Amino acid sequence: MTETSPARKCLRFGWAAVLVFACLGLLLESLHLVKLPLYMEAQIRRELWTLAHAHGTLLGLVNVVFGLYGSQLTATAAHRASAALRTAAVLMPAGFFLGGIGNPETDPSLAIVLVPIGALLLITAAAIAAFSAWQPADAATGPDKRDRKVLQK
Amino acid sequence: MRFVLLGSLAAAMTLALLATTTIPSMYQDELTQEYSPAPHNWAGSATCRACHQDQHASWYRTFHRTMTQEADEESVLGDFNGETFRYWGIGVRPVREAGRYYFEYLNEHDEVSVRLPVLRTVGSHRYQQYLTQTPNGGETYFRIHLLWHMEDERWMHINGVFLRPDEQGFDDRVAVWNHNCIFCHNTGPQPNVVNMDELALRELAGEQVNSALEARYDSRVAELGIACEACHGPGAEHARRNRNPLRRIALHLTDERDPTIVHPQKVSQAKSVAICGQCHGQRTPPSRAHLLQWIDSGPTFRAGAELEEHVVPVFRDTAVPPGIDPDLFRLRFWNDGTARLTAYEYQGLVQSACYTDKALTCISCHTLHSGDIRGNISNANRGNGPCLACHTEFADDVSAHTMHAADSSGSLCYDCHMPKLVFGVTGIHRSHRIEVPRPASDAANERPSACTNCHVDQSIGWAVAQIDTLWRNRPRPAVAGASYLLESLHGGDPVERAVAAHQAGTVPDSERAWLIPHLLLAMQDNYPSTRNLARKSLLVIDGGLQTAGIDTGIGALARQFDFIGDAADRAVLIAGMREAWQRADKTRLPPPPAGALLDTHWQPAQPATGTLLDAGRSHRKQIAIGE
């Protein structure tokens, strides 16, 4: 079975995320449409769910961009950054969304803890990608540690 | 990615687990400790909004917030169009200039003698009053003589909103805001009289001192209007402590209530009703020392306390301070002790079995955080919901208990158990003493009765027979007699007359046409407020006639009738309306009921009506109170 490249994974994930979070946006609009008290009368929930929609969509697009240009990084960097980026794109919107469920009047629920973890992963992904992007051009295309392991096999 | 995701979730769960196990115990001591707020440690509603956006937004809509405001284009509701209004011979002109508002007082030559700027507004629901400062008055705010009535869209003299007879003067109701209004129309009031020692010394020396007018003030309030902390207590410490997210997590994860703030639903019944009762329950200071403290640093009651530890709520038999009319408090209640003025809702509630035997509080029905801001009642509580929450036995078949059609107003619990018999703010309101209708006792106590409040054509004897027949299983024959409403309208004391004048016109029904000649008599009452209520009822009935295609011509004249205006002008309009009534084609009107006290020409029957009017005029003690 051919191993899917990290960039391809991100591309797949990214478009799926855009689809899912665009649908969530539509759902939020519908909640506005029917003026559902559960949503309309809880400012903090509205804010958190809006943030879930926004972060999910934006991170989906970041994944799409990574899917287009991630192959220009070293294989190891692409692999690690891709994993971190996709996990961040799950954790951050999930944290915002779940933070708006069962929350007290003034704060998100404890599920909000997923957001900083996701944020750290996002920053990590960006750092890995940035570090790799600053490497000489041949380092990106030449075999790195991970590629060598594959070749040795 | 799988490892990263699983690792992250594991980290999140570990963090959450740590939070739920360790954080509550870190704050257990602090959250269970008794907390007494510093009396003036106010935060202000803007601080509350930072965390409680929803509650802030729902409160922001209310008339409580706009009870007192700085005067500006948004807050001022009156029509400052420069028209002159003349009361007791003195002309006053509300004018607007360069975005600011003024009242010009005119001399006998119609020249401006003084021009007072509008600095603050009081009220925004039924009517709006205006405050000014005089050039040498320092920080003293005076109430201006004219107010803007929102519902009627008109200016009127302040005397028009009190229940007082015609014998009044232009300046009778001049009030000092710092001495009066500040207490219940603001949050955290502190009148701060700066010359209190001097006034006390003069009083000790035997001098007559008018403390309201001679005091010099440096008044402060935590916030203009009734804001969050009036009901939740001073919140600065609450805000400070809850900047710590760990404390908030601890509060969320435990059942502990935050001791630094008061939640009206989470305190005892007595403490809950005290929150509203601090203003909606007329009271006196327990001692002279308290009084002096009130006019200096403000009332001591804070949300979360028992009201009677800080004030003496006024009831019918509450002792009046020496030197004051001994009937002062007595006249504010019906003879059975039920309050007949607004701002006694607390008294009504604590007199009710629903309070003493059940768990009813103000917030069982009212809220500042949802529903209709008129009455501050949530949509769910508009109907019988709050009553049926306890009286579940009636829920399945309400009309089996009410003996009225299920969809009629007679099947609304409060129409019978909280009848409208309370005067205030130019209207008639529900009693907050929740009671079982007892017409015989009501008549004996010379007060309005729930049955005849709606069945306006019926006698009290009829109501007694109905109660016995329908509810007490003691069938009695119907008793004919004069309408109890008419007996009250003509023969009652001023509050009875005012209530009857209002109840006459609660529905725009042509069936009530027989009340028109009686209302024309009530429009000649010597109490302006009763004239006003009678006029409004007449217009409602006239509306019913118009709908039925009957135009008597009275409505057009009634609309010009100024209940507090010049007596000669009123007499001309009354004569016109009486003439129009005489001319009206009565054959098109529904026939008058048996107790209508009308002669064959549809005029008030004599001598019965005359006797009632004499009885009305003979009431020895005339009430003169009640904004």
Side-chain angles (χ1 to χ4, degrees):
Chain A
M1 198 173 82
T2 319
E3 194 181 342
T4 313
S5 74
R8 173 85 184 149
K9 283 177 183 172
C10 274
L11 192 67
R12 225 160 48 182
F13 179 92
W15 279 119
V18 170
L19 172 68
V20 167
F21 289 105
C23 290
L24 179 65
L26 195 65
L27 175 71
L28 296 184
E29 292 291 331
S30 310
L31 298 183
H32 263 288
L33 186 72
V34 297
K35 303 290 175 207
L36 188 77
L38 173 85
Y39 178 65
M40 296 302 293
E41 292 172 12
Q43 174 71 23
I44 193 149
R45 177 170 298 140
R46 240 168 50 212
E47 225 166 79
L48 287 165
W49 287 6
T50 308
L51 284 170
H53 160 63
H55 278 79
T57 313
L58 189 68
L59 287 173
L61 291 172
V62 172
N63 268 281
V64 169
V65 172
F66 190 92
L68 296 175
Y69 299 106
S71 57
Q72 295 184 25
L73 306 176
T74 63
T76 307
H79 176 77
R80 286 175 182 167
S82 161
L85 191 58
R86 282 177 289 138
T87 311
V90 170
L91 293 184
M92 289 181 77
F96 283 124
F97 187 76
L98 297 174
I101 294 173
N103 57 305
E105 185 186 317
T106 56
D107 286 296
S109 69
L110 270 183
I112 197 73
V113 77
L114 293 174
V115 173
I117 294 174
L120 283 175
L121 287 170
L122 176 66
I123 291 166
T124 305
I128 292 169
F131 183 77
S132 175
W134 279 95
Q135 298 300 306
D138 57 341
T141 48
D144 63 6
K145 242 193 251 174
R146 183 179 165 81
D147 298 330
R148 278 198 296 272
K149 269 188 200 167
V150 175
L151 288 172
Q152 278 163 12
K153 279 183 189 170
Chain B
M1 182 204 170
R2 204 172 307 139
F3 295 118
V4 182
L5 184 61
L6 288 174
S8 302
L9 288 175
M13 285 177 74
T14 310
L15 278 174
L17 194 68
L18 271 172
T20 51
T21 51
T22 58
I23 295 174
S25 57
M26 287 162 62
Y27 290 90
Q28 192 174 7
D29 287 348
E30 195 241 296
L31 295 178
T32 50
Q33 250 168 25
E34 198 62 37
Y35 169 77
S36 300
H40 289 291
N41 201 13
W42 309 102
S45 59
T47 304
C48 305
R49 182 179 52 197
C51 295
H52 303 276
Q53 293 107 323
D54 301 325
Q55 277 63 24
H56 184 277
S58 52
W59 157 80
Y60 197 84
R61 313 163 306 143
T62 66
F63 297 117
H64 276 74
R65 177 184 69 83
T66 50
M67 185 54 79
T68 308
Q69 300 173 93
E70 300 292 356
D72 57 31
E73 291 192 4
E74 198 184 327
S75 62
V76 172
L77 301 172
D79 186 2
F80 285 71
N81 63 357
E83 191 182 342
T84 301
F85 298 88
R86 203 169 289 278
Y87 291 102
W88 285 271
I90 297 173
V92 186
R93 195 156 61 200
V95 292
R96 184 181 169 184
E97 218 174 82
R100 296 200 65 193
Y101 302 88
Y102 302 89
F103 283 92
E104 293 178 342
Y105 286 69
L106 310 179
N107 62 20
E108 61 271 26
H109 308 297
D110 269 0
E111 294 156 344
V112 176
S113 59
V114 62
R115 186 181 219 227
L116 298 173
V118 175
L119 300 174
R120 283 181 179 167
T121 69
V122 177
S124 60
H125 181 192
R126 293 181 174 86
Y127 49 80
Q128 188 166 59
Q129 303 175 50
Y130 299 97
L131 303 175
T132 191
Q133 289 176 333
T134 53
N136 304 317
E139 283 299 305
T140 306
Y141 285 88
F142 292 94
R143 177 166 67 184
I144 279 172
H145 297 78
L146 293 194
L147 60 82
W148 175 255
H149 199 285
M150 265 82 85
E151 188 189 328
D152 295 352
E153 295 185 328
R154 58 161 292 185
W155 289 102
M156 67 170 71
H157 191 278
I158 185 81
N159 287 354
V161 301
F162 289 85
L163 194 63
R164 300 191 81 207
D166 275 325
E167 297 76 40
Q168 301 182 62
F170 186 77
D171 289 328
D172 280 7
R173 287 285 156 177
V174 165
V176 174
W177 175 82
N178 315 58
H179 193 79
N180 288 287
C181 329
I182 189 173
F183 289 111
C184 269
H185 293 181
N186 300 286
T187 308
Q190 289 178 270
N192 281 339
V193 178
V194 294
N195 61 339
M196 187 122 82
D197 292 344
E198 173 208 319
L199 295 176
L201 282 173
R202 282 171 54 198
E203 213 170 40
L204 277 174
E207 207 178 316
Q208 276 284 7
V209 176
N210 183 336
S211 59
L213 290 174
E214 295 182 52
R216 289 200 308 278
Y217 299 92
D218 182 20
S219 301
R220 283 159 204 196
V221 295
E223 196 161 349
L224 290 177
I226 307 302
C228 317
E229 290 161 295
C231 303
H232 297 285
E237 182 62 14
H238 169 75
R240 189 189 69 76
R241 290 194 194 181
N242 282 305
R243 285 192 190 104
N244 176 353
L246 298 184
R247 186 179 191 273
R248 300 203 304 275
I249 290 172
L251 272 169
H252 179 46
L253 294 175
T254 63
D255 287 336
E256 297 300 339
R257 149 186 108 67
D258 188 346
T260 59
I261 204 73
V262 176
H263 193 307
Q265 278 174 330
K266 294 178 182 170
V267 292
S268 70
Q269 184 192 26
K271 287 178 176 175
S272 179
V273 299
I275 292 168
C276 305
Q278 64 177 308
C279 288
H280 295 274
Q282 282 291 358
R283 67 238 162 267
T284 59
S287 66
R288 186 173 162 76
H290 279 85
L291 173 66
L292 293 175
Q293 185 175 356
W294 284 20
I295 59 174
D296 185 31
S297 55
T300 53
F301 174 84
R302 295 289 178 274
E306 301 261 0
L307 191 61
E308 296 190 14
E309 286 172 5
H310 297 266
V311 306
V312 177
V314 170
F315 287 92
R316 189 171 192 272
D317 52 3
T318 301
V320 177
I324 298 176
D325 178 359
D327 287 331
L328 180 71
F329 296 151
R330 194 179 63 78
L331 287 168
R332 299 175 183 191
F333 296 84
W334 299 105
N335 290 335
D336 64 354
T338 305
R340 55 184 195 164
L341 295 178
T342 48
Y344 287 82
E345 290 76 21
Y346 169 83
Q347 282 85 341
L349 180 65
V350 299
Q351 287 172 321
S352 308
C354 294
Y355 176 82
T356 53
D357 302 346
K358 302 271 185 183
L360 193 76
T361 65
C362 311
I363 53 175
S364 303
C365 300
H366 297 281
T367 172
L368 286 188
H369 293 298
S370 74
D372 191 344
I373 57 170
R374 286 166 302 175
N376 294 309
I377 297 178
S378 67
N379 294 336
N381 286 349
R382 274 280 163 202
N384 290 339
C387 303
L388 296 178
C390 285
H391 300 278
T392 49
E393 67 273 26
F394 303 128
D396 288 340
D397 186 2
V398 171
S399 62
H401 166 69
T402 63
M403 306 293 173
H404 289 75
D407 59 350
S408 71
S409 68
S411 277
L412 287 172
C413 309
Y414 43 76
D415 265 358
C416 299
H417 298 286
M418 298 177 70
K420 289 194 171 181
L421 43 80
V422 173
F423 175 86
V425 283
T426 68
I428 302 297
H429 309 272
R430 291 195 185 284
S431 167
H432 278 66
R433 183 180 196 172
I434 303 162
E435 56 187 5
V436 174
R438 291 193 174 84
S441 156
D442 293 340
N445 284 308
E446 297 176 333
R447 52 157 272 190
S449 193
C451 307
T452 50
N453 250 12
C454 293
H455 298 275
V456 294
D457 55 332
Q458 297 293 356
S459 68
I460 206 74
W462 170 87
V464 172
Q466 290 296 107
I467 292 276
D468 277 355
T469 306
L470 296 174
W471 282 276
R472 293 182 182 154
N473 204 20
R474 291 198 300 253
R476 278 204 205 196
V479 180
S483 145
Y484 185 59
L485 181 118
L486 287 185
E487 290 184 342
S488 306
L489 182 67
H490 298 317
D493 84 350
V495 192
E496 274 183 281
R497 302 205 299 268
V499 172
H502 174 266
Q503 289 305 121
T506 45
V507 283
D509 189 351
S510 61
E511 296 281 336
R512 292 196 178 189
W514 60 275
L515 279 163
I516 289 177
H518 292 292
L519 288 170
L520 288 175
L521 279 178
M523 285 167 73
Q524 297 166 71
D525 197 285
N526 65 329
Y527 273 65
S529 288
T530 304
R531 294 199 294 264
N532 187 28
L533 292 163
R535 170 187 165 271
K536 287 187 173 180
S537 284
L538 188 133
L539 284 171
V540 170
I541 296 171
D542 184 68
L545 288 172
Q546 300 278 353
T547 309
I550 304 166
D551 186 5
T552 59
I554 290 179
L557 294 169
R559 270 182 275 281
Q560 299 171 39
F561 182 88
D562 184 357
F563 71 97
I564 189 138
D566 183 69
D569 293 346
R570 288 202 313 270
V572 170
L573 285 165
I574 287 284
M577 284 185 273
R578 293 181 74 164
E579 210 180 295
W581 179 245
Q582 255 171 353
R583 278 200 316 267
D585 177 9
K586 313 292 193 308
T587 58
R588 297 188 62 204
L589 301 178
L597 289 185
L598 292 182
D599 62 19
T600 51
H601 304 289
W602 289 67
Q603 295 298 333
Q606 298 300 343
T609 309
T611 310
L612 284 174
L613 287 168
D614 288 343
R617 282 190 282 264
S618 72
H619 280 282
R620 191 175 51 82
K621 200 93 187 190
Q622 302 281 303
I623 194 168
I625 186 73
E627 182 186 336

